[in-house]
Amino acid sequence: MGKKTVPDLKELFKQASEIAQQVPESMQEAAFNRAIDLLTGGAESAPQAEQPSTQTVKEKKAAKKSTQPEREDSSLDDLVSAIDSTQHPGVTSATKVLDRSLMILQIALTDHDKDGLTPSEIAKILTEKFRVGTTRAAVSMALGNATTLVNRVKDGPGYKYRIMAPGDEYLAHLDEPDSVSPSSAKKSRKKKVTTKSATTKKQSSKKKSKTSNKSNVSQPKKSAIGPKAAVSTLMESGYFSTARTGPEVQAYLKSKRGFHFGTDQLRLAMLRLVREEKLERDENDDGQYEYKQPKP
């Protein structure tokens, strides 16, 4: 190529500068020099901006990673907005982190088809929707010690918890006087082991005390009945031949049968009967579920 004049060089630099403007600022200098080589014929033509294209791929991957948590946060925000806290008074009345966490897992599954939440998600729902202060660590510890009630699955760097049938059963009998928590059940097993190593004199005295207390132990069991059993008696009487809402069932049991069950207790009991195909449910125009016995 012939000798360049000053006007030629000015035009060449202008073109190279325009080309360099098309790449990120950190690479404009290298792009400018490469454009000069190509325009002056100082190097063989090669695929232009090969390095920038590699950088663009990295940037796209980084952008994709950065948008994924945003989508997860958006999904959780939608769940928080969708939950109606007034329909679940048991969450705020519960005193244990485990009980509250199990209730949130069940609400997410039964009402919003969300099967499983992380401890941080549960803590956010409790704090922002129910105004019950708790932390991710507290939820993680509570659920981690309740392996018989929840299923723990790997979720990225942490874990997601899903409520199982024993968890439903635990919540259904939560307010009953003879209900036993998982931790107290473990303690009772330890006590039974220690009593086996007692002397024969202590064993004989315990046998006498057990026989004297049999009448006291048997009395509450005669009158104790859970929400599922109470609903089952209504099914046997034909009460569910007509579609009934949860509040209707609750009011009927209270006024006609003398049972005082919480809203969440009855909802769980009827949900279990739906899963067992003993009841059917459909959502009415008011957004409430109506329960009815299936036709034979």
Side-chain angles (χ1 to χ4, degrees), residues 15-56:
Q15 294 179 14
S17 177
E18 290 176 353
I19 294 173
Q21 294 295 325
Q22 305 302 315
V23 300
E25 184 177 356
S26 60
M27 305 182 62
Q28 288 182 2
E29 183 177 354
F32 179 85
N33 294 332
R34 181 61 175 164
I36 291 293
D37 290 339
L38 292 175
L39 292 172
T40 58
E44 295 181 359
S45 59
Q48 190 171 353
E50 180 179 354
Q51 187 175 356
S53 64
T54 304
Q55 181 68 21
T56 303

Side-chain angles (χ1 to χ4, degrees), residues 185-258:
K186 291 181 181 179
K187 292 180 181 178
S188 64
R189 293 192 195 101
K190 291 181 180 179
K191 289 181 180 179
K192 289 180 181 179
V193 173
T194 56
T195 55
K196 289 181 180 179
S197 62
T199 60
T200 55
K201 291 182 180 180
K202 290 183 179 180
Q203 288 178 348
S204 61
S205 63
K206 286 179 181 178
K207 288 180 180 179
K208 292 180 181 179
S209 63
K210 286 180 180 179
T211 56
S212 62
N213 291 332
K214 281 184 178 179
S215 58
N216 295 331
V217 175
S218 60
Q219 287 178 357
K221 291 183 179 179
K222 290 181 181 179
S223 59
I225 183 171
K228 184 180 179 183
V231 174
S232 297
T233 59
L234 295 183
M235 293 170 54
E236 294 173 359
S237 67
Y239 178 77
F240 286 99
S241 58
T242 303
R244 311 284 186 175
T245 64
E248 288 176 342
V249 178
Q250 184 181 30
Y252 185 86
L253 285 172
K254 181 178 180 181
S255 62
K256 301 295 185 180
R257 302 295 177 90

Side-chain angles (χ1 to χ4, degrees), residues 3-279:
K3 185 176 181 180
K4 298 290 185 181
T5 63
V6 173
D8 291 335
L9 291 174
K10 287 183 178 180
E11 181 63 23
L12 187 146
F13 289 151
K14 180 179 179 182
Q15 294 179 14
S17 177
E18 290 176 353
I19 294 173
Q21 294 295 325
Q22 305 302 315
V23 300
E25 184 177 356
S26 60
M27 305 182 62
Q28 288 182 2
E29 183 177 354
F32 179 85
N33 294 332
R34 181 61 175 164
I36 291 293
D37 290 339
L38 292 175
L39 292 172
T40 58
E44 295 181 359
S45 59
Q48 190 171 353
E50 180 179 354
Q51 187 175 356
S53 64
T54 304
Q55 181 68 21
T56 303
V57 172
K58 292 181 180 179
E59 290 176 351
K60 289 181 178 179
K61 289 182 179 180
K64 185 177 181 180
K65 289 182 180 180
S66 64
T67 56
Q68 186 172 1
E70 292 179 0
R71 294 195 191 101
E72 293 176 355
D73 291 342
S74 176
S75 176
L76 179 59
D77 290 339
D78 291 341
L79 178 60
V80 173
S81 300
I83 293 176
D84 185 359
S85 59
T86 61
Q87 296 296 319
H88 310 285
V91 176
T92 53
S93 63
T95 57
K96 297 180 181 179
V97 177
L98 173 61
D99 299 346
R100 291 169 175 169
S101 301
L102 289 174
M103 290 177 186
I104 295 302
L105 288 175
Q106 191 163 75
I107 291 169
L109 175 60
T110 58
D111 291 357
H112 306 282
D113 296 325
K114 178 72 173 177
D115 189 10
L117 294 169
T118 64
S120 60
E121 290 173 334
I122 295 172
K124 182 174 181 179
I125 294 172
L126 286 171
T127 303
E128 295 186 7
K129 174 57 68 170
F130 293 92
R131 295 294 188 264
V132 176
T134 189
T135 62
R136 181 204 64 80
V139 174
S140 180
M141 181 177 296
L143 294 177
N145 292 330
T147 54
T148 59
L149 306 180
V150 294
N151 177 31
R152 189 178 75 167
V153 295
K154 191 70 176 175
D155 184 62
Y159 293 94
K160 178 183 292 186
Y161 291 88
R162 297 171 177 169
I163 190 168
M164 299 190 300
D168 290 338
E169 183 74 16
Y170 171 78
L171 288 179
H173 298 277
L174 189 60
D175 294 336
E176 295 180 8
D178 57 346
S179 62
V180 180
S181 65
S183 59
S184 62
K186 291 181 181 179
K187 292 180 181 178
S188 64
R189 293 192 195 101
K190 291 181 180 179
K191 289 181 180 179
K192 289 180 181 179
V193 173
T194 56
T195 55
K196 289 181 180 179
S197 62
T199 60
T200 55
K201 291 182 180 180
K202 290 183 179 180
Q203 288 178 348
S204 61
S205 63
K206 286 179 181 178
K207 288 180 180 179
K208 292 180 181 179
S209 63
K210 286 180 180 179
T211 56
S212 62
N213 291 332
K214 281 184 178 179
S215 58
N216 295 331
V217 175
S218 60
Q219 287 178 357
K221 291 183 179 179
K222 290 181 181 179
S223 59
I225 183 171
K228 184 180 179 183
V231 174
S232 297
T233 59
L234 295 183
M235 293 170 54
E236 294 173 359
S237 67
Y239 178 77
F240 286 99
S241 58
T242 303
R244 311 284 186 175
T245 64
E248 288 176 342
V249 178
Q250 184 181 30
Y252 185 86
L253 285 172
K254 181 178 180 181
S255 62
K256 301 295 185 180
R257 302 295 177 90
F259 293 122
H260 298 267
F261 296 121
T263 304
D264 289 338
Q265 281 185 296
L266 282 175
R267 288 176 66 255
L268 294 177
M270 290 189 288
L271 174 63
R272 290 170 58 207
L273 290 168
V274 169
R275 291 176 177 174
E276 294 172 6
E277 298 183 357
K278 295 179 181 179
L279 283 177

Side-chain angles (χ1 to χ4, degrees), residues 276-294:
E276 294 172 6
E277 298 183 357
K278 295 179 181 179
L279 283 177
E280 293 179 346
R281 71 176 187 180
D282 290 296
E283 192 172 356
N284 60 22
D285 296 336
D286 296 328
Q288 290 185 321
Y289 283 115
E290 293 182 336
Y291 299 85
K292 187 177 180 180
Q293 283 184 270

